[in-house]
Amino acid sequence: MSQHLPTASAVQALPGHPFIAYQGNELQVEDVRLSQLAAEHGTPLFVYSKAAMLAALAAYQRGFAGRHAQICYAMKANSSLGVLQIFADAGCGFDIVSGGELERVLAAGGDAAKIIFSGVGKTRSEMRQALQAGIGCFNVESEAELDVLSQVAESLGLKAPVSIRVNPNVDPKTHPYISTGLKDNKFGVAHEDTLRIYQYAAELKGLQVVGIDCHIGSQITDATPYLDAMDRVLDLVVSIEASGIALAHIDFGGGLGINYNNDTPPAADALWAQLLRKLDERGFGQKKLMIEPGRSLVGNAGVCVTEVLYVKPGEHKNFCIIDAAMNDLPRPAMYQAFHAIVPLLAKHVDTPEARYDVVGPICESGDWIGRDRMLAIKAGDQLAVLSAGAYCMSMSSNYNTRGRAVELLVDGSKVHVIRVRESAADQMRLEKLVAL
Ligand code: LLP
């Protein structure tokens, strides 16, 4: 399939990527040509648009205008410090899932009081660290975790603010690995057990119940599962509050999808207009709202620039071997995910178009980035893998002792290096040779 190839020499935006466009023959992020960045910094290279992140955030902010709401960026989507700084500076809180993420937020200038700590397996030391930092809320996922958190808080002479994550048992209609709100998932507590578990939590001395939480999955492109989940959660709010436990906030998690491949998720403001209507109808319009979006804030703000190393024609397939791999872009290997792949230079008069599997140099058949793509390429050409702002760098690895890529943040015509290329020495720094 041919992707977004421009025809005219004018500005041509890429669908779903508001600040990434061809200006004439050249693909740009904001005002900067990607070919220039590749020449200066080498490839593979992640480039993020600050304006695209702020525009994505603005859609949520419009959606919540006039409401008591806190947007907590789910930083697992992209936890680079330069990215966190943007959201901290814009007043966001953060959804974290580890002590390491907590340290990152604090290093980036985030406000501890606006942090929520999610995840099924928090350790005692992570709980201690988060309590001492004074985070806003622990989203607790089991009775066993309530017990441990209460003990840890008591041992510090503190009360841990808690929400319980409920599993609303709705199908978000997304990839099974990123669906989290069904009964068979490891996440949250079952709907039918929730009231009892809240009553239990309210008795524990080290806890202060402050809210309720749900998150049903990721890359959701339809409003219906959200509306269903909201109904299920509000039913619980009614019964929990009727039992005498006040809930100061409702956290609806993250999960809103982005356009990878002609996907049409609702815009954040449109989705929230629908959800807020339901909240109002059910009489909860005044409650404080929390949300935990990740992908929808950063996914389409980033690209990964890569160079074609070799073109390898085959009997059944042609391969386009690039210098980015599954260690940089793990989503195709993990979820058969689609990322659009486009050339940095729109027109290639000298090269015929052919069908390729775009693959990396790693010694695994799973190391593919795109399949059956129509591309007009030759060795030395550069490509941009789109929608690479979320769950790429943050899920990257050093497999095959490949250093992690450079990351750049573009702000208008300014370019900030937010991560330098990782060397083999960087990778070996924590290892020790044995005295043989
Ligand atoms: N809150 C909780 C509790 C979560 O588990 C997640 C994502 C989010 C918020 C943010 O969801 P988002 O708005 O980004 O959809 N690696 C996968 C996605 C895993 C999502 C895990 N949880 C991927 O590359 O598609």
Side-chain angles (χ1 to χ4, degrees), residues 74 76 95 118 165 178 215 218-219 254-255 292-295 331 335 391 395:
K76 63 170 78 70
D95 172 48
S118 300
R165 176 169 173 183
I178 52 177
H215 169 80
S218 200
Q219 185 53 19
E292 308 162 1
R295 186 191 320 265
R331 304 190 65 258
Y335 321 110
Y391 301 114
M395 288 172 55

Side-chain angles (χ1 to χ4, degrees), residues 70-132:
Q70 175 68 59
I71 300 167
C72 293
Y73 167 51
M75 61 179 285
K76 63 170 78 70
N78 187 322
S79 51
S80 300
L81 293 177
V83 171
L84 301 184
Q85 277 182 289
I86 293 174
F87 292 108
D89 189 54
C92 289
F94 293 88
D95 172 48
I96 66 167
V97 288
S98 71
E101 286 196 345
L102 173 58
E103 286 190 44
R104 280 184 175 273
V105 172
L106 299 178
D111 179 353
K114 293 183 189 166
I115 292 177
I116 47 186
F117 194 165
S118 300
V120 293
K122 303 172 194 77
T123 65
R124 283 169 198 263
S125 89
E126 286 174 323
M127 290 171 176
R128 223 172 283 122
Q129 187 189 350
L131 283 163
Q132 281 164 339

Side-chain angles (χ1 to χ4, degrees), residues 60 72-77 95-97 116 118-119 139 141 165 175 177-178 180 187 213-220 226 251-257 260 291-298 330-331 334-335 337 339 390-392 394-395:
Y60 281 101
C72 293
Y73 167 51
M75 61 179 285
K76 63 170 78 70
D95 172 48
I96 66 167
V97 288
I116 47 186
S118 300
N139 286 348
E141 303 222 14
R165 176 169 173 183
H175 189 285
Y177 281 14
I178 52 177
T180 51
F187 300 101
D213 163 51
C214 86
H215 169 80
I216 54 174
S218 200
Q219 185 53 19
I220 300 168
Y226 277 108
D251 176 346
F252 286 104
L256 180 58
Y260 284 102
I291 53 158
E292 308 162 1
R295 186 191 320 265
S296 53
L297 292 179
V298 291
R331 304 190 65 258
M334 285 186 75
Y335 321 110
H339 286 261
Y391 301 114
C392 292
S394 61
M395 288 172 55

Side-chain angles (χ1 to χ4, degrees), residues 15 40 61 137 166 173-174 217 277 377 421:
E40 281 170 22
Q61 289 166 330
C137 188
V166 300
K173 301 186 183 69
T174 184
R277 212 172 305 128
I377 38 134
R421 193 172 300 286

